[in-house]
Amino acid sequence: MTESTSAKPVGAGGVRRFAGLIHETPYLLLILLTLIGIGWTSVSTTPTTTYWIVLTPVAALICIAAGWRHCASNAERLRMAASQALHWAAFLLAMILVTVSDVHGLLNFDATALMLLMLLALGVFTAGLSLWSWKLCVTGVFLGLAAPLLAWVERAALLLMLIGAALIAFFVLRWRFRERGRSATAAAGD
């Protein structure tokens, strides 16, 4: 095998590996943003409800990006994007109603933030179900488990950061092993 032919698959493999990482980025970004919010909620003395409300449209965009590549036509993409926009508008409205309805201060800031995190988790999980995306479902389950853990353990931020890091490592390792398998298959085919 000459040097020029051996360099060609390496370049193509690098592009494929990068493309594979791009496919995992939305889920990793959502987990990372959630970990930031969990850390902030657990150590902050100021209300973090705004963070969770701002994160909701970001989650909507991530879900639309995750579902985009599974649609075959522009009409399907438009229908999926409209469905997700309405789905997330409903969750955003529910979050705003939670913060507005607590005018009398029956809930403290931590309880309100945890409730918003649970709504976000439910939104991600149900978006994953409607998009048939197991990765979004896993992300939603992680968010859903993060809320009670945060409420149960006084300093759960470190534990949740470790679990989130493990989840991120899972996605990265899964991507790397899949790319190695593809590279080995391509090399065997040459």
Side-chain angles (χ1 to χ4, degrees), residues 26-44:
Y27 316 106
L28 299 175
L29 179 64
L30 190 55
I31 291 169
L32 181 66
L33 290 172
T34 301
L35 290 174
I36 290 169
I38 288 169
W40 184 21
T41 300
S42 68
V43 298
S44 177

Side-chain angles (χ1 to χ4, degrees), residues 60-183:
L61 291 175
I62 289 171
C63 290
I64 290 171
W68 192 265
R69 65 177 172 258
H70 299 294
C71 297
S73 68
N74 286 337
E76 286 181 21
R77 287 185 180 119
L78 183 61
R79 186 172 40 251
M80 180 274 305
S83 172
Q84 285 299 305
L86 291 172
H87 170 88
W88 284 103
F91 274 95
L92 187 59
L93 179 63
M95 289 176 154
I96 291 170
L97 288 174
V98 164
T99 59
V100 170
S101 66
D102 193 29
V103 197
H104 299 292
L106 297 174
L107 298 173
N108 64 16
F109 295 125
D110 289 339
T112 304
L114 291 174
M115 194 178 311
L116 296 179
L117 175 57
M118 287 301 291
L119 281 170
L120 182 68
L122 181 61
V124 171
F125 183 77
T126 56
L129 289 177
S130 71
L131 294 172
W132 290 95
S133 171
W134 69 268
K135 294 175 187 176
L136 280 175
C137 289
V138 168
T139 304
V141 167
F142 170 74
L143 298 178
L145 293 175
L149 273 175
L150 188 58
W152 181 52
V153 180
E154 177 87 15
R155 298 286 179 193
L158 179 61
L159 176 64
L160 292 173
M161 298 275 182
L162 291 173
I163 293 170
L167 196 54
I168 289 171
F170 167 75
F171 280 122
V172 170
L173 288 174
R174 181 181 166 277
W175 164 74
R176 289 198 82 182
F177 285 125
R178 181 191 294 166
E179 291 306 314
R180 282 187 185 171
R182 286 182 185 162
S183 296

Side-chain angles (χ1 to χ4, degrees), residues 1-11:
M1 187 182 282
T2 65
E3 215 173 316
S4 63
T5 58
S6 66
K8 186 177 177 184
V10 172

